[in-house]
Amino acid sequence: MKKYKAFTLFLCIALLVPALFGVGKVFAANPSFTIGEVVTDKTVTILIKDAPKNREFIVRMGEYDTKAINGIEAGRFQTGEGGNLQATIDIPVAFAGRAQIAIRMDSVTGGWYYYNWFWNKKEGGTWPPPSTTPEPTPSSPVTTPQPTKTPPKIVPTITIISAVESQSVTIAITNFPKNAEMRAFMGEMYTKGKDGIPVGDFTTTDAAGTEVTLNIPGALANDERVAIRVESVRGGWYSYNWFWNKQGGRVVTPPSSGTVTPAPTQPGDTSKYPALSIISVDSGKTVTIKADNLPQNTEFTVLLGKMWTRGVNGIPSATFNSGPQTSAELTVDIPASLANESLISIRIQGTNGRYAYNWFINK
């Protein structure tokens, strides 16, 4: 049986909500981590944010700029109650002396992952050899000059630390120039924050990363997910990300990748397509939904399925008729076979072909 070196896993006391926010509902972001202490060629400490409950994660390391995909397994940890965690992990011997190393954590179940990189040995560290096709051996000796080392590619990043629903979000930015003026923007999901609403100016510090809390604009306060972008006032540096703002909030439809021919409009229908939002969830038991833009006097079936299925061919949980109304709110049972799923897809399917789908956090 393969054995792994033990590493220390410290649970943080709780999800930290800055006192200045007052009382507010915290909506957890996707799992992420930043780099803490590095002991060259020995260990690296990662600071994990928003870990899901009761999940096992595998930590891998690889060459810089590989995202540690198919990397060397360096350890595993359990999230327990989730939230903010700290883990110290052994650096594989294969990467001893490397200047930079990629690191990644993947959940064994649930599909969560995150990757980053860290400096292992800044002074005198080695780099992976370039991948090249060997040239034929020349007939006479030829002196080949040593290749010039290409500087490592530095990419600015934004990490979501936490979000207070409809109020504010705390981010950490790395790899931006030090002591530089920055401007932050927010916009609808899928916009990358381009031409977004300005939400604050700040200056980076001398440290490796800068942490800042920004207010969510009123125009985006009800959005389920919000795009965020940071740009340098001078120099052209930028990065973007997104965060969960409000469970059951307004869902932005992703842009179409091609031309879509809409279904013909029937008499009495509105020109809009149905939309489905999540109102509340009783874990493992029921989910309350609201459907809008419904065609009138149409029979609908509510289907639930595993995450990523969009509820297609899902388990029927309820039926309803829109009647003369164009919206409906109802509570449906979560099927027993899905009661322990972390994330569940839900769909309403009309007899006239109209449909909408969404998903919700069950546990």
Side-chain angles (χ1 to χ4, degrees), residues 54-55 281-287 304-307 315 317 332-345 360-363:
N54 302 317
R55 296 285 171 170
V281 178
D282 185 359
S283 179
K285 297 179 180 179
T286 61
V287 57
L304 281 76
K306 289 189 175 183
M307 189 58 181
I315 302 171
S317 183
V332 300
D333 293 333
I334 297 173
S337 60
L338 299 173
N340 291 318
E341 294 289 328
S342 297
L343 307 174
I344 297 176
S345 295
F360 61 91
I361 299 174
N362 179 45
K363 286 191 174 183

Side-chain angles (χ1 to χ4, degrees), residues 11-256:
L11 292 177
C12 293
I13 296 174
L15 288 169
L16 301 178
V17 182
L20 59 90
F21 292 146
V23 178
K25 179 181 176 183
V26 175
F27 190 79
N30 289 330
S32 63
F33 66 86
T34 54
I35 306 300
E37 181 183 10
V38 177
V39 180
T40 299
D41 293 340
K42 294 183 179 179
T43 61
V44 58
T45 298
I46 58 174
L47 310 176
I48 306 157
K49 302 286 186 180
D50 302 309
K53 292 182 179 180
N54 302 317
R55 296 285 171 170
E56 182 180 16
F57 276 81
I58 300 173
V59 180
R60 295 181 173 90
M61 297 190 201
E63 299 288 7
Y64 175 73
D65 214 17
T66 65
K67 302 177 184 178
I69 295 174
N70 299 322
I72 297 175
E73 185 170 335
R76 299 185 179 216
F77 65 88
Q78 299 284 342
T79 60
E81 289 301 312
N84 298 347
L85 313 173
Q86 177 175 312
T88 299
I89 305 160
D90 290 337
I91 296 172
V93 175
F95 300 120
R98 280 288 191 257
Q100 294 178 347
I101 299 173
I103 184 169
R104 180 188 189 92
M105 67 179 198
D106 292 278
S107 62
V108 175
T109 59
W112 282 284
Y113 69 91
Y114 194 81
Y115 54 85
N116 208 330
W117 63 272
F118 62 92
W119 282 104
N120 174 52
K121 190 175 182 181
K122 284 189 177 182
E123 300 297 330
T126 60
W127 301 90
S131 178
T132 59
T133 303
E135 296 292 335
T137 304
S139 56
S140 57
V142 175
T143 302
T144 304
Q146 291 295 319
T148 302
K149 184 185 293 182
T150 302
K153 181 172 65 175
I154 304 299
V155 179
T157 62
I158 298 174
T159 300
I160 308 300
I161 303 300
S162 63
V164 178
E165 183 181 294
S166 303
Q167 296 182 38
S168 63
V169 61
T170 299
I171 62 173
I173 66 170
T174 55
N175 298 334
F176 279 88
K178 296 179 181 178
N179 303 311
E181 293 179 67
M182 297 288 154
R183 184 159 296 153
F185 304 86
M186 294 188 198
E188 290 187 346
M189 187 61 183
Y190 306 112
T191 65
K192 302 178 183 179
K194 284 185 177 180
D195 302 318
I197 301 170
V199 292
D201 294 349
F202 59 95
T203 303
T204 56
T205 65
D206 286 327
T210 300
E211 190 169 308
V212 63
T213 298
L214 301 162
N215 292 329
I216 298 171
L220 301 170
N222 195 46
D223 281 19
E224 181 188 57
R225 293 183 285 179
V226 177
I228 186 167
R229 185 183 189 92
V230 173
E231 298 178 355
S232 60
V233 176
R234 289 176 293 275
W237 297 85
Y238 70 92
S239 185
Y240 54 86
N241 205 335
W242 63 270
F243 61 93
W244 290 105
N245 172 47
K246 185 176 181 179
Q247 184 175 1
R250 185 177 76 98
V251 177
V252 176
T253 303
S256 174

